[in-house]
Amino acid sequence: MLNIAVLVSGGGTNLEAIFKAMEDGRITDAKISVVISNNQQAYALERAKKRNVEAICVSPKSYETRQEFYVQLMEEIRSRKIDVIVLAGYLVQISSEMVDAFPMKILNIHPSLIPSFCGKGCYGIHVHENALERGVKITGATVHFVDGGTDTGPIILQKAVNVLPGDTPERLQKRVMEEAEWVILPEAIQLYVQGRLKVVDGQVIVEE
């Protein structure tokens, strides 16, 4: 049974998708041991508490330096013997020390088809604003391993979503979540739990 830590900043819709995948058997042999947010008001914490999962807030605002915050976040994760970390809408950059401590053990969901509309400043609703401004016809979501860059780690899964006439950023965001993010994030977690993800020369191979 693998122990998962889910890091999230907001409402926790991707967290909810993970919970539901565990409840209906799409994710097996794993449990969410802790949900950590940088935001005390994040509804994701309430989602966790309703399922009797430990939910804590570790906020950079509570520490004098970012390094102190990083140390505490790492301690919270290490103390719970976490096997894999899932960034499910986590809007705080994690430390290089954490990346080094959990090599190819940190998964992130991004609301675009990387390498489009990703990198510094491209998160949340901004991704969909940029996609509509550019006039793309297809967007989607990506699950990738986290490395030392921003949205640069090896890609695990992607799923495309059509951009429709009259889309607003909010409407597109909702469709990408429903049709892509909530589908591929649980699938990627299950592949990881099954030990079927192998990185070769920077590329992810899904083993049978």
Side-chain angles (χ1 to χ4, degrees), residues 5 13 16 37 40 62 79 81 88 96 122 147 151 153 156 162 170 206:
T13 55
E16 185 71 17
S37 181
Q40 186 66 57
S62 301
S79 67
K81 296 180 168 51
S96 59
C122 222
D147 63 6
D151 301 326
I156 301 169
N162 289 326
E170 292 75 17
V206 179

Side-chain angles (χ1 to χ4, degrees), residues 124-140:
I125 196 70
H126 301 304
V127 176
H128 307 292
E129 291 171 345
N130 291 344
L132 290 175
E133 182 179 346
R134 184 64 183 87
V136 299
K137 306 305 180 186
I138 297 174
T139 185

Side-chain angles (χ1 to χ4, degrees), residues 18-60:
I18 299 169
F19 277 132
K20 288 182 177 179
M22 289 179 167
E23 290 162 0
D24 66 22
R26 285 178 290 130
I27 297 176
T28 58
D29 300 318
K31 67 176 182 178
I32 297 177
S33 297
V34 64
V35 173
I36 303 175
S37 181
N38 60 299
N39 175 12
Q40 186 66 57
Q41 304 304 315
Y43 186 64
L45 296 176
E46 295 304 314
R47 293 182 191 272
K49 291 174 184 176
K50 287 178 181 179
R51 287 177 166 86
N52 296 315
V53 172
E54 185 179 18
I56 62 174
C57 176
V58 183
S59 171

Side-chain angles (χ1 to χ4, degrees), residues 26-198:
R26 285 178 290 130
I27 297 176
T28 58
D29 300 318
K31 67 176 182 178
I32 297 177
S33 297
V34 64
V35 173
I36 303 175
S37 181
N38 60 299
N39 175 12
Q40 186 66 57
Q41 304 304 315
Y43 186 64
L45 296 176
E46 295 304 314
R47 293 182 191 272
K49 291 174 184 176
K50 287 178 181 179
R51 287 177 166 86
N52 296 315
V53 172
E54 185 179 18
I56 62 174
C57 176
V58 183
S59 171
K61 297 178 182 178
S62 301
Y63 302 89
E64 291 186 5
T65 67
R66 181 56 65 100
Q67 188 58 36
E68 287 180 281
F69 160 72
Y70 284 148
V71 168
Q72 184 60 39
L73 180 61
M74 182 78 85
E75 175 57 31
E76 297 290 354
I77 291 173
R78 284 190 182 282
S79 67
R80 290 166 176 81
K81 296 180 168 51
I82 296 300
D83 298 297
V84 58
I85 300 168
V86 177
L87 308 182
Y90 189 60
L91 302 182
V92 179
Q93 184 175 359
I94 63 173
S95 67
S96 59
E97 288 83 2
M98 182 175 290
V99 174
D100 292 341
F102 293 90
M104 300 304 156
K105 295 181 179 181
I106 306 175
L107 281 63
N108 181 55
I109 180 80
H110 184 77
S112 77
L113 296 174
I114 291 173
S116 297
F117 312 113
C118 63
K120 187 175 181 180
C122 222
Y123 60 89
I125 196 70
H126 301 304
V127 176
H128 307 292
E129 291 171 345
N130 291 344
L132 290 175
E133 182 179 346
R134 184 64 183 87
V136 299
K137 306 305 180 186
I138 297 174
T139 185
T142 303
V143 181
H144 65 93
F145 283 118
V146 175
D147 63 6
T150 303
D151 301 326
T152 57
I155 291 171
I156 301 169
L157 293 174
Q158 292 185 303
K159 192 172 190 301
V161 174
N162 289 326
V163 179
L164 303 180
D167 267 341
T168 62
E170 292 75 17
R171 189 177 301 166
L172 183 57
Q173 181 182 48
K174 185 172 185 290
R175 190 182 317 111
V176 169
M177 286 192 295
E178 293 175 345
E179 296 183 9
E181 294 181 47
W182 300 349
V183 176
I184 63 174
L185 182 56
E187 184 179 347
I189 292 171
Q190 178 65 356
L191 290 171
Y192 182 91
V193 172
Q194 292 174 327
R196 294 174 57 194
L197 300 177
K198 185 177 181 180

